[in-house]
Amino acid sequence: MRVRDVLRISERRQRQIARVMQLFLLLAFVGGLGVGNAGVAVNALVGLIVTFLPGILERDLGIPIDAALALWISAAVALHALGTITIPGIGKPYVDIWWWDHLTHALSASLVAGVGYATTRAVDIHYEYVSFPERFQFVFILLFVVAFGVFWEVIEFGIGLAASVTGTKGVLTQYGLEDSMLDLVFDTVGGILVAVYGSEQLSEVVDALTDRLADGRDEDARL
């Protein structure tokens, strides 16, 4: 079952929600600049840029990104940016809502897993001499997600270390070893969800990537 079927939201409504998230990220970026909060501004700007990737992939590379996938991407970056903002009466979600960090890590990891799944599946379909058994794909996606998660934790640590050395406030925050281990656990949860349900959600993307590989091989043959 596809995500859009579970949500029972029309494609038009999904695109509208994604646009609202883009507007929120833009306002967060401007607000972060206005109050001199580099963390909010940088995270919002990066998130805003990411929300335009589906349109670029669809327009320039011919990879179909339906409304559900665009909403999935927008939600991941918008929730991350929202977590860095202090909300009156609530506080900062990343600090004051215990499950917020777990949710955003699982959601972001599912995007990373989606990239890994779509790429390996397209390669598997396109090349006759390449065969990835389903069990291998499952393990590969998990390893891919965990490796990216470790890389991200190293980046967070490096930014935090640089901020402490320079006496500035880092744009990313690491709350210790326990927090990093929990992040990797929920990264794995996101990877498992894609490994189990990704075949339906990403079938059109896989087909488009396979076609791109076929077009590239045909062009090389002509040369």
Side-chain angles (χ1 to χ4, degrees):
M1 183 177 291
R2 287 179 175 269
V3 171
R4 56 173 172 259
D5 298 327
V6 175
L7 295 175
R8 296 186 181 278
I9 303 175
S10 67
E11 186 165 323
R12 179 170 175 269
R13 184 65 65 191
Q14 290 178 56
R15 293 193 183 280
Q16 288 175 339
I17 295 173
R19 292 289 180 268
V20 170
M21 291 180 180
Q22 286 181 322
L23 178 60
F24 158 72
L25 289 168
L26 177 61
L27 292 176
F29 169 64
V30 174
L33 288 180
V35 299
N37 191 321
V40 171
V42 170
N43 282 287
L45 178 60
V46 172
L48 183 61
I49 293 172
V50 170
T51 62
F52 287 102
L53 289 180
I56 295 173
L57 291 173
E58 197 161 19
R59 184 188 67 242
D60 296 346
L61 300 179
I63 298 175
I65 307 293
D66 64 19
L69 286 177
L71 181 59
W72 178 15
I73 294 170
S74 298
V77 294
L79 289 175
H80 170 65
L82 180 60
T84 65
I85 298 173
T86 301
I87 304 172
I90 297 177
K92 186 179 293 187
Y94 269 131
V95 177
D96 300 300
I97 301 178
W98 67 268
W99 48 263
W100 193 271
D101 191 36
H102 306 331
L103 172 64
T104 56
H105 266 274
L107 196 55
S108 299
S110 68
L111 295 179
V112 175
V115 173
Y117 169 81
T119 303
T120 55
R121 183 63 181 146
V123 169
D124 184 25
I125 294 173
H126 175 68
Y127 294 104
E128 296 179 358
Y129 51 84
V130 175
S131 178
F132 295 147
E134 289 187 9
R135 187 172 298 179
F136 170 83
Q137 288 187 9
F138 186 91
V139 173
F140 173 80
I141 289 171
L142 293 185
L143 291 177
F144 184 71
V145 168
V146 171
F148 189 88
V150 171
F151 177 66
W152 182 259
E153 294 301 321
V154 171
I155 290 177
E156 284 189 345
F157 176 78
I159 290 176
L161 185 62
S164 63
V165 170
T166 59
T168 58
K169 190 173 181 180
V171 297
L172 294 173
T173 304
Q174 192 173 52
Y175 297 101
L177 180 59
E178 182 179 353
D179 175 69
S180 296
M181 293 301 100
L182 280 174
D183 288 347
L184 292 177
V185 168
F186 284 92
D187 288 344
T188 304
V189 171
I192 290 174
L193 290 175
V194 171
V196 174
Y197 299 108
S199 58
E200 283 192 74
Q201 312 304 326
L202 299 168
S203 58
E204 294 178 355
V205 176
V206 170
D207 292 341
L209 288 174
T210 304
D211 292 340
R212 295 280 305 176
L213 290 173
D215 292 342
R217 185 170 67 176
D218 292 342
E219 189 169 330
D220 290 340
R222 286 195 297 269
L223 293 175

